[in-house]
Amino acid sequence: MPDNYLPQVRSQYEALPYPPCDPEDDHRRLVLTWLEDLPMINHYCFAGRQSFQNGFRALVAGGGTGDATIFLAEQLRAIGAADAHIVHLDMSQASIAIAKRRAEIRGLSNISWVHDSLLNLPGLQLEAFDYINCSGVLHHLADPDLGFKALRSVLKADGAIGLMLYATTGRTGVYQMQQLMRLVNSQEADDTRKIANTREMLASLPASNWFARSEALHHDHKAGDAGIYDLLLHSQDRSYSVGELFDWLGSDSPQGHGLHLAFSDVQRGRSPYLPHMVLGSKPPAMAAQLRRLPRRQQYEMAELMIGDIITHSLYVTRDASCTAPYGDADYIPFFYHEPLTGEMAAQVFDSQRGQPFMLRHQHSGVSVMVNPGKYGPQILRLIDGQRSFGDIFEQFRADWRGQAAAPDNTVLFADFAASFEALNALERLLLRHPLADAKAA
Ligand SMILES: C[S@@+](CC[C@H](N)C(=O)[O-])C[C@H]1O[C@@H](n2cnc3c(N)ncnc32)[C@H](O)[C@@H]1O
């Protein structure tokens, strides 16, 4: 491995592999990661058309102790993607050893292991990848853009990258705490003592301290030495506002990579980036106006309003057409991330008998005004994860008892748009194309 990684960062992850994990726990449970759900990857990265058969290749760059790798491998095995392959790359040998043991316990054979710096990817002669996960890694590099370019060098032209990068606003208290601990530990060379000092400090902070105020947002400091070090003592750690990510990776700035960014916060989807979904059950009159502003501006405002986004999770793709389109009758809508049925959703959307209503989503805590349209509840009732919109609308018309002619697909898509948008923003309603159900050729 040429000397192009940060030695202090490497020694941290050799001594304290992250996330801390006992591989033997894999006998009992599977860790799920938000971005690596195949139906999510399919919806946001492959226009819902990816079957993951025919030699699908994924790279997990800076894969650490293996959460994303194991989850991907398990799902690919479960759908019978026999020739799919995952490469797990990390510069920490200790982390790879844990991830490998987890795969061994599970009998997963669809993974290969590369001990190297991701900056060396352009020269490793690996076959190109359909999907790359790089979660919590680029912000620990001296030059994150060099890292991103290295990832792109091994990505297929129609491939996608799932990224997690630290978010500035939500980590305000973390950076103050890191600064505090640098001062406290300025005479301390021993990491064990640094960690002990941090524990002592955490236990004694006044309630007015910014980290103490926002402590509920963070969990790593409760997850043992590796977590404390990663969160509060890291030697190389930077963060981004959502606007900075649009500038860096998107097409808003001439220096940017010109790619499309689809944000999906863990459990909340894109709702924390949408002012009208952040402003709660009594939105001010200006909420409707803010909703008409450009997407980037809405996202920047919402990040500042909500204040609790600690990481940005996003899919980076060639362009917006990589997201499954709403409005194509061939697509199959399906509920996800919650045991929802069409009937259950229909009852909620029918609560005000066709009038706009306040959707209070318990899992995410989001409250948003939704217009269910004239036909929303009937359409929702017909969603079973198997029927396409075309089939659903056919059935809708077959059940039609109105005086006038039954509405056509264009009318029904327009009527259901607000309901789809609300449920999709929460990642509770996704799309796939029938091609995704095809088996290997
Ligand atoms: C915070 S951990 C994240 C692990 C995993 N991706 C996750 O989300 O759970 C960062 C990982 O990136 C790895 N890493 C940091 N710099 C790297 C580099 N230049 N090349 C390869 N791996 C690197 C570290 O060894 C560590 O395992």
mmCIF file of all heavy atoms in Angstrom, residues 4-6 9-10 13 18-19 60-65 67 89-92 95 116-119 133-137 139-141 164 166 230, ligand 1:
data_model
loop_
_atom_site.group_PDB
_atom_site.id
_atom_site.type_symbol
_atom_site.label_atom_id
_atom_site.label_comp_id
_atom_site.label_asym_id
_atom_site.label_seq_id
_atom_site.Cartn_x
_atom_site.Cartn_y
_atom_site.Cartn_z
ATOM 1 N N ASN A 4 -0.230 6.705 0.821
ATOM 2 C CA ASN A 4 -1.141 7.792 0.474
ATOM 3 C C ASN A 4 -2.364 7.852 1.382
ATOM 4 O O ASN A 4 -3.348 8.469 1.061
ATOM 5 C CB ASN A 4 -1.581 7.681 -0.994
ATOM 6 C CG ASN A 4 -2.388 6.432 -1.232
ATOM 7 O OD1 ASN A 4 -2.733 5.738 -0.291
ATOM 8 N ND2 ASN A 4 -2.706 6.157 -2.478
ATOM 9 N N TYR A 5 -2.269 7.175 2.507
ATOM 10 C CA TYR A 5 -3.351 7.280 3.492
ATOM 11 C C TYR A 5 -2.797 8.046 4.695
ATOM 12 O O TYR A 5 -1.581 8.287 4.769
ATOM 13 C CB TYR A 5 -3.823 5.885 3.925
ATOM 14 C CG TYR A 5 -2.688 5.047 4.458
ATOM 15 C CD1 TYR A 5 -2.349 5.100 5.811
ATOM 16 C CD2 TYR A 5 -1.918 4.243 3.623
ATOM 17 C CE1 TYR A 5 -1.280 4.365 6.301
ATOM 18 C CE2 TYR A 5 -0.867 3.513 4.114
ATOM 19 C CZ TYR A 5 -0.548 3.579 5.451
ATOM 20 O OH TYR A 5 0.509 2.873 5.941
ATOM 21 N N LEU A 6 -3.670 8.427 5.602
ATOM 22 C CA LEU A 6 -3.211 9.167 6.779
ATOM 23 C C LEU A 6 -2.825 8.163 7.870
ATOM 24 O O LEU A 6 -3.683 7.409 8.335
ATOM 25 C CB LEU A 6 -4.321 10.096 7.267
ATOM 26 C CG LEU A 6 -4.629 11.264 6.320
ATOM 27 C CD1 LEU A 6 -5.944 11.949 6.692
ATOM 28 C CD2 LEU A 6 -3.483 12.272 6.333
ATOM 29 N N VAL A 9 -4.930 8.045 10.972
ATOM 30 C CA VAL A 9 -6.277 7.502 10.749
ATOM 31 C C VAL A 9 -6.186 5.978 10.655
ATOM 32 O O VAL A 9 -6.977 5.246 11.247
ATOM 33 C CB VAL A 9 -6.917 8.102 9.484
ATOM 34 C CG1 VAL A 9 -8.255 7.460 9.185
ATOM 35 C CG2 VAL A 9 -7.085 9.616 9.639
ATOM 36 N N ARG A 10 -5.167 5.514 9.941
ATOM 37 C CA ARG A 10 -5.032 4.062 9.837
ATOM 38 C C ARG A 10 -4.793 3.439 11.220
ATOM 39 O O ARG A 10 -5.422 2.433 11.563
ATOM 40 C CB ARG A 10 -3.877 3.704 8.898
ATOM 41 C CG ARG A 10 -3.724 2.200 8.845
ATOM 42 C CD ARG A 10 -2.933 1.700 7.695
ATOM 43 N NE ARG A 10 -2.778 0.258 7.815
ATOM 44 C CZ ARG A 10 -1.806 -0.428 7.276
ATOM 45 N NH1 ARG A 10 -0.887 0.183 6.554
ATOM 46 N NH2 ARG A 10 -1.736 -1.718 7.427
ATOM 47 N N TYR A 13 -7.981 3.021 13.157
ATOM 48 C CA TYR A 13 -8.888 1.934 12.769
ATOM 49 C C TYR A 13 -8.254 0.547 12.898
ATOM 50 O O TYR A 13 -8.966 -0.453 12.893
ATOM 51 C CB TYR A 13 -9.441 2.193 11.364
ATOM 52 C CG TYR A 13 -10.399 3.362 11.358
ATOM 53 C CD1 TYR A 13 -10.117 4.528 10.658
ATOM 54 C CD2 TYR A 13 -11.589 3.312 12.094
ATOM 55 C CE1 TYR A 13 -10.998 5.614 10.666
ATOM 56 C CE2 TYR A 13 -12.464 4.392 12.122
ATOM 57 C CZ TYR A 13 -12.170 5.540 11.413
ATOM 58 O OH TYR A 13 -13.042 6.600 11.451
ATOM 59 N N TYR A 18 -14.065 0.031 13.313
ATOM 60 C CA TYR A 18 -15.360 0.713 13.388
ATOM 61 C C TYR A 18 -16.306 0.183 12.311
ATOM 62 O O TYR A 18 -15.871 -0.008 11.184
ATOM 63 C CB TYR A 18 -15.162 2.226 13.208
ATOM 64 C CG TYR A 18 -16.429 2.996 13.472
ATOM 65 C CD1 TYR A 18 -16.691 3.527 14.721
ATOM 66 C CD2 TYR A 18 -17.378 3.160 12.463
ATOM 67 C CE1 TYR A 18 -17.877 4.212 14.968
ATOM 68 C CE2 TYR A 18 -18.558 3.836 12.714
ATOM 69 C CZ TYR A 18 -18.794 4.359 13.961
ATOM 70 O OH TYR A 18 -19.963 5.022 14.220
ATOM 71 N N PRO A 19 -17.612 0.086 12.583
ATOM 72 C CA PRO A 19 -18.197 0.227 13.913
ATOM 73 C C PRO A 19 -17.800 -0.938 14.804
ATOM 74 O O PRO A 19 -17.623 -2.058 14.289
ATOM 75 C CB PRO A 19 -19.706 0.223 13.634
ATOM 76 C CG PRO A 19 -19.882 -0.349 12.283
ATOM 77 C CD PRO A 19 -18.620 -0.179 11.520
ATOM 78 N N VAL A 60 -17.570 -1.957 -1.607
ATOM 79 C CA VAL A 60 -17.775 -1.246 -0.342
ATOM 80 C C VAL A 60 -16.406 -0.688 0.035
ATOM 81 O O VAL A 60 -15.503 -1.425 0.433
ATOM 82 C CB VAL A 60 -18.365 -2.174 0.739
ATOM 83 C CG1 VAL A 60 -18.615 -1.382 2.020
ATOM 84 C CG2 VAL A 60 -19.677 -2.792 0.237
ATOM 85 N N ALA A 61 -16.254 0.609 -0.162
ATOM 86 C CA ALA A 61 -14.943 1.247 -0.012
ATOM 87 C C ALA A 61 -14.836 1.861 1.378
ATOM 88 O O ALA A 61 -15.653 2.691 1.753
ATOM 89 C CB ALA A 61 -14.779 2.332 -1.083
ATOM 90 N N GLY A 62 -13.832 1.427 2.134
ATOM 91 C CA GLY A 62 -13.752 1.825 3.540
ATOM 92 C C GLY A 62 -14.869 1.118 4.288
ATOM 93 O O GLY A 62 -15.584 1.714 5.084
ATOM 94 N N GLY A 63 -14.993 -0.167 4.032
ATOM 95 C CA GLY A 63 -16.131 -0.955 4.531
ATOM 96 C C GLY A 63 -16.064 -1.250 6.020
ATOM 97 O O GLY A 63 -17.024 -1.776 6.580
ATOM 98 N N GLY A 64 -14.938 -0.948 6.662
ATOM 99 C CA GLY A 64 -14.828 -1.134 8.110
ATOM 100 C C GLY A 64 -15.099 -2.567 8.519
ATOM 101 O O GLY A 64 -14.616 -3.525 7.885
ATOM 102 N N THR A 65 -15.901 -2.743 9.566
ATOM 103 C CA THR A 65 -16.149 -4.086 10.101
ATOM 104 C C THR A 65 -17.292 -4.802 9.379
ATOM 105 O O THR A 65 -17.698 -5.879 9.794
ATOM 106 C CB THR A 65 -16.444 -4.013 11.615
ATOM 107 O OG1 THR A 65 -17.507 -3.073 11.817
ATOM 108 C CG2 THR A 65 -15.223 -3.555 12.389
ATOM 109 N N ASP A 67 -20.696 -3.856 8.030
ATOM 110 C CA ASP A 67 -22.167 -3.799 8.048
ATOM 111 C C ASP A 67 -22.772 -3.764 6.639
ATOM 112 O O ASP A 67 -23.665 -4.553 6.315
ATOM 113 C CB ASP A 67 -22.660 -2.568 8.824
ATOM 114 C CG ASP A 67 -22.521 -2.737 10.331
ATOM 115 O OD1 ASP A 67 -22.156 -3.843 10.776
ATOM 116 O OD2 ASP A 67 -22.764 -1.751 11.057
ATOM 117 N N LEU A 89 -13.260 -3.282 0.596
ATOM 118 C CA LEU A 89 -11.908 -2.705 0.641
ATOM 119 C C LEU A 89 -11.766 -1.848 1.895
ATOM 120 O O LEU A 89 -12.666 -1.077 2.230
ATOM 121 C CB LEU A 89 -11.683 -1.863 -0.609
ATOM 122 C CG LEU A 89 -10.366 -1.065 -0.688
ATOM 123 C CD1 LEU A 89 -9.861 -1.010 -2.136
ATOM 124 C CD2 LEU A 89 -10.509 0.356 -0.139
ATOM 125 N N ASP A 90 -10.653 -2.000 2.572
ATOM 126 C CA ASP A 90 -10.372 -1.120 3.714
ATOM 127 C C ASP A 90 -8.867 -1.101 3.936
ATOM 128 O O ASP A 90 -8.159 -2.050 3.599
ATOM 129 C CB ASP A 90 -11.081 -1.608 4.983
ATOM 130 C CG ASP A 90 -11.320 -0.471 5.970
ATOM 131 O OD1 ASP A 90 -10.336 -0.020 6.606
ATOM 132 O OD2 ASP A 90 -12.467 -0.009 6.081
ATOM 133 N N MET A 91 -8.377 -0.003 4.501
ATOM 134 C CA MET A 91 -6.941 0.049 4.801
ATOM 135 C C MET A 91 -6.645 -0.511 6.191
ATOM 136 O O MET A 91 -5.491 -0.631 6.573
ATOM 137 C CB MET A 91 -6.423 1.479 4.694
ATOM 138 C CG MET A 91 -6.950 2.399 5.749
ATOM 139 S SD MET A 91 -6.114 3.981 5.610
ATOM 140 C CE MET A 91 -6.952 4.896 6.890
ATOM 141 N N SER A 92 -7.697 -0.859 6.932
ATOM 142 C CA SER A 92 -7.478 -1.438 8.262
ATOM 143 C C SER A 92 -7.627 -2.956 8.194
ATOM 144 O O SER A 92 -8.715 -3.477 7.937
ATOM 145 C CB SER A 92 -8.495 -0.844 9.251
ATOM 146 O OG SER A 92 -8.713 -1.731 10.319
ATOM 147 N N SER A 95 -10.050 -4.341 10.774
ATOM 148 C CA SER A 95 -11.479 -4.225 10.416
ATOM 149 C C SER A 95 -11.859 -5.309 9.417
ATOM 150 O O SER A 95 -12.924 -5.934 9.532
ATOM 151 C CB SER A 95 -11.761 -2.842 9.798
ATOM 152 O OG SER A 95 -11.398 -1.834 10.700
ATOM 153 N N ASP A 116 -6.290 -2.238 1.248
ATOM 154 C CA ASP A 116 -5.573 -1.190 0.514
ATOM 155 C C ASP A 116 -6.238 0.146 0.808
ATOM 156 O O ASP A 116 -7.305 0.201 1.422
ATOM 157 C CB ASP A 116 -5.613 -1.477 -0.999
ATOM 158 C CG ASP A 116 -4.373 -0.932 -1.706
ATOM 159 O OD1 ASP A 116 -3.910 0.165 -1.325
ATOM 160 O OD2 ASP A 116 -3.879 -1.610 -2.622
ATOM 161 N N SER A 117 -5.597 1.198 0.348
ATOM 162 C CA SER A 117 -6.210 2.520 0.438
ATOM 163 C C SER A 117 -7.126 2.707 -0.760
ATOM 164 O O SER A 117 -6.768 2.339 -1.892
ATOM 165 C CB SER A 117 -5.123 3.599 0.421
ATOM 166 O OG SER A 117 -5.732 4.858 0.229
ATOM 167 N N LEU A 118 -8.277 3.311 -0.543
ATOM 168 C CA LEU A 118 -9.189 3.528 -1.679
ATOM 169 C C LEU A 118 -8.576 4.489 -2.700
ATOM 170 O O LEU A 118 -8.976 4.515 -3.865
ATOM 171 C CB LEU A 118 -10.575 3.987 -1.206
ATOM 172 C CG LEU A 118 -10.764 5.344 -0.524
ATOM 173 C CD1 LEU A 118 -10.916 6.472 -1.534
ATOM 174 C CD2 LEU A 118 -12.011 5.292 0.347
ATOM 175 N N LEU A 119 -7.598 5.255 -2.274
ATOM 176 C CA LEU A 119 -6.933 6.161 -3.223
ATOM 177 C C LEU A 119 -6.169 5.383 -4.284
ATOM 178 O O LEU A 119 -5.830 5.919 -5.337
ATOM 179 C CB LEU A 119 -5.990 7.109 -2.473
ATOM 180 C CG LEU A 119 -6.705 8.067 -1.510
ATOM 181 C CD1 LEU A 119 -5.723 8.765 -0.593
ATOM 182 C CD2 LEU A 119 -7.535 9.084 -2.294
ATOM 183 N N ASN A 133 -20.558 1.638 -2.325
ATOM 184 C CA ASN A 133 -20.920 2.243 -1.042
ATOM 185 C C ASN A 133 -19.663 2.834 -0.418
ATOM 186 O O ASN A 133 -18.609 2.199 -0.401
ATOM 187 C CB ASN A 133 -21.508 1.174 -0.098
ATOM 188 C CG ASN A 133 -21.413 1.617 1.368
ATOM 189 O OD1 ASN A 133 -20.401 1.425 2.029
ATOM 190 N ND2 ASN A 133 -22.460 2.223 1.869
ATOM 191 N N CYS A 134 -19.762 4.073 0.036
ATOM 192 C CA CYS A 134 -18.633 4.682 0.739
ATOM 193 C C CYS A 134 -19.238 5.526 1.860
ATOM 194 O O CYS A 134 -19.570 6.697 1.681
ATOM 195 C CB CYS A 134 -17.804 5.514 -0.239
ATOM 196 S SG CYS A 134 -16.245 6.047 0.489
ATOM 197 N N SER A 135 -19.375 4.885 2.990
ATOM 198 C CA SER A 135 -20.143 5.482 4.081
ATOM 199 C C SER A 135 -19.209 5.869 5.222
ATOM 200 O O SER A 135 -18.533 5.009 5.800
ATOM 201 C CB SER A 135 -21.181 4.450 4.553
ATOM 202 O OG SER A 135 -21.788 4.885 5.728
ATOM 203 N N GLY A 136 -19.176 7.154 5.520
ATOM 204 C CA GLY A 136 -18.383 7.615 6.661
ATOM 205 C C GLY A 136 -16.888 7.538 6.423
ATOM 206 O O GLY A 136 -16.135 7.300 7.367
ATOM 207 N N VAL A 137 -16.459 7.716 5.194
ATOM 208 C CA VAL A 137 -15.040 7.517 4.868
ATOM 209 C C VAL A 137 -14.399 8.768 4.254
ATOM 210 O O VAL A 137 -13.343 9.226 4.730
ATOM 211 C CB VAL A 137 -14.866 6.325 3.885
ATOM 212 C CG1 VAL A 137 -13.395 6.070 3.597
ATOM 213 C CG2 VAL A 137 -15.535 5.073 4.436
ATOM 214 N N HIS A 139 -14.876 11.853 4.421
ATOM 215 C CA HIS A 139 -14.603 13.005 5.304
ATOM 216 C C HIS A 139 -13.417 12.752 6.235
ATOM 217 O O HIS A 139 -13.043 13.622 7.000
ATOM 218 C CB HIS A 139 -15.863 13.392 6.103
ATOM 219 C CG HIS A 139 -16.540 12.233 6.762
ATOM 220 N ND1 HIS A 139 -17.901 12.017 6.683
ATOM 221 C CD2 HIS A 139 -16.060 11.203 7.511
ATOM 222 C CE1 HIS A 139 -18.220 10.927 7.357
ATOM 223 N NE2 HIS A 139 -17.115 10.417 7.871
ATOM 224 N N HIS A 140 -12.849 11.540 6.178
ATOM 225 C CA HIS A 140 -11.640 11.250 6.974
ATOM 226 C C HIS A 140 -10.375 11.278 6.112
ATOM 227 O O HIS A 140 -9.305 10.906 6.572
ATOM 228 C CB HIS A 140 -11.762 9.882 7.653
ATOM 229 C CG HIS A 140 -12.843 9.814 8.689
ATOM 230 N ND1 HIS A 140 -13.042 10.799 9.636
ATOM 231 C CD2 HIS A 140 -13.796 8.872 8.941
ATOM 232 C CE1 HIS A 140 -14.068 10.468 10.419
ATOM 233 N NE2 HIS A 140 -14.545 9.313 10.010
ATOM 234 N N LEU A 141 -10.513 11.659 4.837
ATOM 235 C CA LEU A 141 -9.328 11.740 3.963
ATOM 236 C C LEU A 141 -8.772 13.163 3.980
ATOM 237 O O LEU A 141 -9.511 14.130 4.183
ATOM 238 C CB LEU A 141 -9.699 11.389 2.523
ATOM 239 C CG LEU A 141 -10.342 10.030 2.251
ATOM 240 C CD1 LEU A 141 -10.530 9.831 0.738
ATOM 241 C CD2 LEU A 141 -9.505 8.894 2.819
ATOM 242 N N MET A 164 -22.199 8.421 2.631
ATOM 243 C CA MET A 164 -22.593 9.085 3.878
ATOM 244 C C MET A 164 -21.447 10.001 4.256
ATOM 245 O O MET A 164 -20.288 9.593 4.305
ATOM 246 C CB MET A 164 -22.875 8.071 4.990
ATOM 247 C CG MET A 164 -23.397 8.736 6.270
ATOM 248 S SD MET A 164 -22.093 9.449 7.282
ATOM 249 C CE MET A 164 -21.697 8.074 8.336
ATOM 250 N N TYR A 166 -20.481 13.501 6.895
ATOM 251 C CA TYR A 166 -20.928 14.238 8.079
ATOM 252 C C TYR A 166 -21.595 15.549 7.690
ATOM 253 O O TYR A 166 -21.194 16.202 6.723
ATOM 254 C CB TYR A 166 -19.747 14.559 8.987
ATOM 255 C CG TYR A 166 -19.176 13.367 9.707
ATOM 256 C CD1 TYR A 166 -17.822 13.331 10.036
ATOM 257 C CD2 TYR A 166 -19.972 12.293 10.088
ATOM 258 C CE1 TYR A 166 -17.276 12.251 10.714
ATOM 259 C CE2 TYR A 166 -19.440 11.210 10.762
ATOM 260 C CZ TYR A 166 -18.094 11.195 11.074
ATOM 261 O OH TYR A 166 -17.562 10.128 11.745
ATOM 262 N N ASP A 230 -13.993 7.728 17.597
ATOM 263 C CA ASP A 230 -14.473 8.102 16.267
ATOM 264 C C ASP A 230 -15.234 9.424 16.301
ATOM 265 O O ASP A 230 -15.097 10.269 15.421
ATOM 266 C CB ASP A 230 -15.385 6.997 15.720
ATOM 267 C CG ASP A 230 -15.354 6.954 14.205
ATOM 268 O OD1 ASP A 230 -14.299 6.626 13.654
ATOM 269 O OD2 ASP A 230 -16.381 7.278 13.586
HETATM 270 C C1 LIG B 1 -15.868 5.465 10.220
HETATM 271 S S1 LIG B 1 -15.322 4.004 9.484
HETATM 272 C C2 LIG B 1 -16.714 3.595 8.477
HETATM 273 C C3 LIG B 1 -16.871 2.124 8.257
HETATM 274 C C4 LIG B 1 -18.078 1.720 7.419
HETATM 275 N N1 LIG B 1 -18.033 2.288 6.093
HETATM 276 C C5 LIG B 1 -19.372 2.077 8.097
HETATM 277 O O1 LIG B 1 -20.060 3.001 7.636
HETATM 278 O O2 LIG B 1 -19.735 1.434 9.068
HETATM 279 C C6 LIG B 1 -14.148 4.535 8.289
HETATM 280 C C7 LIG B 1 -13.442 3.388 7.599
HETATM 281 O O3 LIG B 1 -12.746 3.917 6.477
HETATM 282 C C8 LIG B 1 -11.486 3.306 6.394
HETATM 283 N N2 LIG B 1 -10.598 4.232 5.663
HETATM 284 C C9 LIG B 1 -10.248 5.483 5.981
HETATM 285 N N3 LIG B 1 -9.423 5.992 5.056
HETATM 286 C C10 LIG B 1 -9.270 5.026 4.116
HETATM 287 C C11 LIG B 1 -8.549 4.940 2.901
HETATM 288 N N4 LIG B 1 -7.795 5.927 2.465
HETATM 289 N N5 LIG B 1 -8.640 3.799 2.203
HETATM 290 C C12 LIG B 1 -9.400 2.751 2.624
HETATM 291 N N6 LIG B 1 -10.071 2.773 3.783
HETATM 292 C C13 LIG B 1 -10.024 3.907 4.517
HETATM 293 C C14 LIG B 1 -11.078 3.089 7.833
HETATM 294 O O4 LIG B 1 -10.078 2.122 7.972
HETATM 295 C C15 LIG B 1 -12.400 2.702 8.470
HETATM 296 O O5 LIG B 1 -12.585 1.313 8.444
#
